[in-house]
Structure formats: C-alpha cells, structure tokens
Amino acid sequence: MVRRFTGRIGAMDRTHVERRSGKQSSMPPETINLICAGKVLKDGQVLGAEEERSRRLNRVKAAAAALVERHADGSLPLEDFNIELEDQNGETIRFGTETDRRAMMMGLMLHANAKKLIRRQLYKDALEVLTMGEEAFSLCNPKVIELVDNVPLLQIDMVWCYFMLRDISWLSVAGMRLQKAREGIERAHGKDSFRMRLLQAGRHPELALHLRMELLEGVVAYHSGQFDKSRKALTSAQAKFFQLQVPDESLSLVMSMGFKEQDAKRALRISNQDVGTAIDFLVEEKAKRAQKREDNNRRRREIAEQKQYGMTPLKKAVDLQRLKALVSIGYEKELAAEALRRNENDTEKALDDLTNPESNSSIQLEIESRKRKRHQKSTNVNIEQLVSMGFERSAVVEASRAGGSIEQIMQRLLSQTAPNTSSAANNPESSSITTTNNVGPSSSNDNENVIGESTTGEIEERDVEMEDELACELTGDVFADYDIEVSKKAKQ
C-alpha cells in the first residue's frame, strides 16, 4: 500500500511507515527509502505536491462559494455575466427557495470542475471535488433533486473515478452509488427513458450514459462475486456499444454537409444512426447556439446598464423588468431607476417617490450630482494618463476644461506643444500612473457605480483566476453528460 505524507521526511516518518506496513525490520530507520513519483525522498525534502493539491481544492470550493454568493440572490455581478440555471432547452429554472438555488448552483459548479479533472485523468482530485459537489446537492430539497438527473450523473462520475483509480476498497460504496444513480435517472428520465425521448423528439441521447452505467455495474458485480448479474450488465453494455458505433458512410454524409466529425458522430449516435434525423439535430443545435450567443450579448448589455444605476442598499441590482414597467407609464428611465434603487426595487414605494414633488426633486438632484462626480472622476483619470505620457499637468488640466475624450484632449495638447518626455523621465510624480478622486469618497447615499468603487476591498480578495475557470466550465455542452467516445471507453 502506498501512503502519501506531507512535510519533511525524517527517521520518524520511516519508522511510521514501517509500523503501518505491518512488517518489522532489523534495519535502522535511516536505511529505509521512501519513494514518491519514482524518486527517492531525502531527509529534509519538502513534499509540496500534496500541499499544493490541497490548496487548489480549497480554492475551488472557495471560488465556487463566492460565485454562488454573488449570483444566486439578484446581486449586481462584478463580472460582465451572471450565472443562471437552465434546463436542456435553455429555459431558465426557477426554484422555490434561495437555499435550493444556492445548493444547486454550488453542486453544478463543482461537478463541472470535476469533469474537467476527469478529462485530465486527475481522478483523485476529481473524486474530492465530486464529494464536495455531492455535499452541496444534499442541501437541496430532495423533491427538487428528484426532478433532475444531475445527482445521478455525479454518482456515476464518482464510480468512474473509483474504477480508474483501481481501488477495490470502494467496491461496496460503488454498488450503492450505481443503484442510486439508476433509480435517480429513472425518476428524471421516466421508465425506459420515456420522458427523455419525449422531450428530445424521439432521439436517444441517454444511450451512451446507460452504456457507461452498465459497464460499471458489470465490473462492480464481477468483483462482488455476482457473476450472472455481471454477465447480464456487460452483455447489455456491449449491445449498446455496438449500437453506438458510427458507420463511415453515414459519418461522411453528415460531414459533407459542413459539420465537424465530433459533432456528426454525436448526432448520429443520438439519432440512432439516421442521417436525416442527425442533420436535423445539428441544424437545431446550431440555431440554439446562435440564440444563446444573442441572449448572452443582450444580458451583458443589461448588466452594463445595471452597473450604471448602482446597487440598492442591500447590494442588489436594479430590476430591469420593473424599470421597464415604470418607463412604459411615462417616467424618465434614469429617474425611475434611481427610485427603484433607493427603494429596493419596490415598485409601489418607487412610485410614491416619483409622484411626490419633494422626493422627485431630491432624486433629480442626486442624479445630477452623480453625473458630475462620474465626469470629474473620468477627467481625473484622463489627466493622470496624459501626465504620465509626459505632458505638463497645468497644460493637461487646462486642455481638459473643454471636455471630450482622452484622444480629443491629446489633440488639443499636441496642437499647442510637443510632450516633454524628458520631464516625464525625471519627474517621479508624472512618470507614475495613478488614479485619484478629488471629489472624495462617495457616501452611502451616492452608491455611484458601486462596482469596483465602494467594493474595492472585496474585489481585491477575489480569486479571479479560479472564478473565471469555474465560470468558463459552466458554459459547456448540454449533451456532454450523455455523450462519450465509446472507442476510448471500450479500451479502458
């Protein structure tokens, strides 16, 4: 048995290994060699690989929790995207409680990361992330979980990791997980996948999934001494394997329509090797992807607009649907947005403020004040950038009075004098790029474009790299869980 240790290797570690192995040696501990990754470990050597692995797993969990916190409750996202739960048809899923939504988002995020680790053949790491994902899903209402197949898919991935790690100690757990997975898939897909095929217009996206499950069931049954059960499962898996083989002629026909080989193979497998149905599927998927891109671009524009309005006192975004309703009855958009913002998106309270002359006037004054501050901040940023390029500060300030973009200000400066590059090189103040805000910090009532300003400390603490990695993994293929490269699985 191979044991992994973290820390420095010394005589005490050698003695511990000897004791754990159950064998006693007359040789002194210092003569025992410990080998890791094919290398003999020396006294004092730091084993950082396990620590780094543990650190990365903690980063994954923390980043997933941070994303869920920001995207599950209507808060204004720091990024130019937001994370939403959708079904296979791209329809947004609404949950009854905030707890269910958070648990589902967390579980899906961790499962997506684990699948990436599986593709990289990092099965031990994947197993730990899958365990975290299972814990997250367990916080969701069981009635909600029964409606989807995400947890059964996760269970199958966990058993696949046991299988690839060749760890016989997981045998009994593997059997229970596969049984739960089968029951869960039947609840979500219907008896004999009737519901799944109805939703997918008679197609068979679940065949590869059942092939994988039956293969694992056969292996577990064999090692449990249930040979008849093993033979039955493996025979069924073999039949599905042959059913999923793509004829070269059919593949060539679909590819001749301009589709990639991988997409063509998937379409033919899902369509039971029917070329016409496969092409229809690919055309539909192409249209869905185009629509998704359009929806994503629209959502990015909406987020950019919401950021202009700032956050409510409880750090939520301005509700654009409620804003649209107020605009439709004649209120100016920016005025209505500020009324919603300060009233936590309560339409009735916002209307009270808009119809009250005194509060309406107060809202208008605040909007104008924020506009001046944004303009002043933008001007200050332009000034510092131009000063860092070598222009005299007094000249830059004077040229900025007329307003305009940084390019327009630069043109005014260039028409007056050439930049003093020697001054920029010799003047430490002008050669460093800084951003200042001469109007001072915004008050709690300003809430001026709060993203990136009043929450600067939070942004600096974010694990942007890991959050971006997790977010990218969530934009994957909706059919990926039902699709495997059968030739590779056959070899394994």
Side-chain angles (χ1 to χ4, degrees):
M1 181 180 292
V2 178
R3 299 277 180 181
R4 295 198 179 196
F5 296 86
T6 301
R8 293 184 177 275
I9 300 302
M12 290 298 292
D13 295 312
R14 291 183 167 87
T15 303
H16 179 70
V17 171
E18 182 183 26
R19 189 181 302 117
R20 292 296 297 272
S21 69
K23 298 179 180 180
Q24 296 296 321
S25 171
S26 60
M27 301 178 67
E30 60 269 17
T31 63
I32 299 175
N33 286 332
L34 299 181
I35 301 174
C36 177
K39 297 181 179 180
V40 178
L41 303 177
K42 300 178 181 179
D43 285 352
Q45 180 178 353
V46 179
L47 298 182
E50 192 70 17
E51 289 183 353
E52 177 59 31
R53 175 174 168 275
S54 177
R55 206 161 31 240
R56 179 174 175 80
L57 290 172
N58 288 333
R59 284 180 63 200
V60 169
K61 187 172 184 178
L67 282 171
V68 169
E69 182 68 26
R70 294 202 305 274
H71 290 264
D73 62 355
S75 296
L76 187 59
L78 298 176
E79 310 86 351
D80 65 346
F81 63 86
N82 66 338
I83 300 172
E84 295 180 338
L85 300 175
E86 298 179 345
D87 59 20
Q88 290 181 358
N89 295 320
E91 300 294 331
T92 300
I93 300 174
R94 303 296 179 189
F95 288 91
T97 69
E98 190 64 30
T99 300
D100 291 341
R101 179 174 172 80
R102 287 173 178 268
M104 186 63 71
M105 286 179 66
M106 186 78 168
L108 290 173
M109 211 173 295
L110 292 169
H111 192 187
N113 182 260
K115 286 186 283 190
K116 178 182 178 181
L117 294 170
I118 290 173
R119 290 193 296 270
R120 295 171 56 193
Q121 300 182 12
L122 299 173
Y123 300 110
K124 184 176 180 181
D125 290 357
L127 192 54
E128 293 206 32
V129 177
L130 287 167
T131 301
M132 290 190 287
E134 184 179 41
E135 291 173 357
F137 281 131
S138 70
L139 300 176
C140 200
N141 187 326
K143 296 297 182 182
V144 174
I145 291 295
E146 289 178 0
L147 300 175
V148 295
D149 60 7
N150 299 94
V151 174
L153 293 172
L154 181 141
Q155 298 275 5
I156 292 172
D157 280 333
M158 293 184 84
V159 178
W160 183 256
C161 288
Y162 301 157
F163 176 55
M164 297 307 295
L165 288 169
R166 305 291 193 267
D167 192 341
I168 200 70
S169 66
W170 291 106
L171 193 62
S172 60
V173 181
M176 289 188 290
R177 290 195 182 282
L178 288 173
Q179 179 61 32
K180 289 181 180 178
R182 180 169 287 281
E183 293 170 357
I185 287 173
E186 184 168 314
R187 280 195 302 268
H189 294 183
K191 187 70 174 177
D192 298 324
S193 299
F194 172 79
R195 190 179 300 117
M196 164 70 81
R197 293 181 187 178
L198 185 64
L199 291 172
Q200 294 299 327
R203 301 186 183 102
H204 305 257
E206 80 291 347
L207 276 179
L209 171 65
H210 282 271
L211 163 60
R212 189 181 185 207
M213 184 166 57
E214 289 172 355
L215 171 63
L216 292 171
E217 287 173 335
V219 172
V220 170
Y222 177 82
H223 286 289
S224 300
Q226 300 173 298
F227 302 118
D228 288 341
K229 182 179 179 181
S230 174
R231 187 179 299 107
K232 181 179 179 181
L234 293 175
T235 300
S236 180
Q238 185 180 43
K240 289 181 175 62
F241 171 76
F242 289 125
Q243 187 177 352
L244 290 168
Q245 297 303 303
V246 177
D248 291 340
E249 182 180 354
S250 299
L251 179 62
S252 297
L253 281 172
V254 176
M255 290 180 64
S256 69
M257 301 291 292
F259 297 106
K260 295 179 181 178
E261 180 178 354
Q262 182 180 354
D263 294 335
K265 282 184 177 180
R266 169 187 291 181
L268 285 165
R269 289 177 185 137
I270 287 176
S271 304
N272 202 22
Q273 315 300 342
D274 184 88
V275 172
T277 305
I279 292 173
D280 289 343
F281 170 80
L282 289 167
V283 171
E284 290 172 14
E285 287 303 299
K286 185 177 180 180
K288 287 180 182 178
R289 287 194 295 271
Q291 182 63 50
K292 176 58 67 178
R293 284 194 298 271
E294 183 178 329
D295 291 343
N296 288 340
N297 290 333
R298 174 187 53 78
R299 184 60 189 130
R300 287 191 184 96
R301 292 193 296 270
E302 289 177 349
I303 291 173
E305 180 183 354
Q306 287 175 311
K307 287 182 178 181
Q308 291 178 4
Y309 305 137
M311 293 190 289
T312 71
L314 293 180
K315 310 300 183 185
K316 300 295 188 295
V318 170
D319 189 313
L320 294 183
Q321 292 303 314
R322 294 173 185 262
L323 175 59
K324 185 178 179 181
L326 289 175
V327 171
S328 69
I329 59 177
Y331 289 103
E332 191 271 326
K333 196 171 190 179
E334 198 167 9
L335 196 68
E338 175 58 22
L340 285 169
R341 186 201 67 75
R342 59 169 56 188
N343 287 292
E344 288 295 341
N345 290 310
D346 187 314
T347 304
E348 292 302 319
K349 291 182 179 179
L351 277 170
D352 289 342
D353 279 351
L354 291 169
T355 54
N356 183 299
E358 185 176 343
S359 58
N360 188 299
S361 177
S362 172
I363 291 174
Q364 292 188 50
L365 289 173
E366 186 163 333
I367 290 172
E368 291 302 318
S369 174
R370 293 222 310 261
K371 283 182 178 179
R372 286 195 300 272
K373 289 178 181 179
R374 283 198 297 267
H375 175 71
Q376 184 62 54
K377 182 173 182 179
S378 176
T379 300
N380 289 339
V381 171
N382 291 341
I383 289 173
E384 295 304 324
Q385 288 184 1
L386 290 167
V387 169
S388 72
M389 296 168 63
F391 293 101
E392 292 290 344
R393 182 178 293 273
S394 59
V396 174
V397 172
E398 184 61 33
S400 300
R401 295 188 190 281
S405 65
I406 189 170
E407 291 80 9
Q408 291 170 326
I409 298 172
M410 187 184 295
Q411 287 299 321
R412 294 189 201 115
L413 289 165
L414 291 173
S415 66
Q416 298 169 8
T417 180
N420 185 352
T421 54
S422 61
S423 172
N426 298 324
N427 186 344
E429 179 183 1
S430 63
S431 62
S432 63
I433 302 177
T434 58
T435 300
T436 60
N437 186 349
N438 295 336
V439 298
S442 60
S443 67
S444 59
N445 291 330
D446 286 338
N447 205 8
E448 172 191 2
N449 283 342
V450 188
I451 297 302
E453 297 176 18
S454 65
T455 56
T456 302
E458 296 177 17
I459 293 175
E460 290 176 351
E461 295 173 3
R462 288 175 55 210
D463 189 342
V464 178
E465 179 185 11
M466 184 56 71
E467 287 183 9
D468 287 347
E469 182 178 322
L470 289 172
C472 289
E473 289 162 3
L474 286 177
T475 59
D477 193 335
V478 295
F479 287 99
D481 286 313
Y482 312 111
D483 184 28
I484 59 175
E485 182 51 62
V486 290
S487 59
K488 292 181 180 178
K489 301 303 176 187
K491 294 176 183 177
Q492 292 170 326

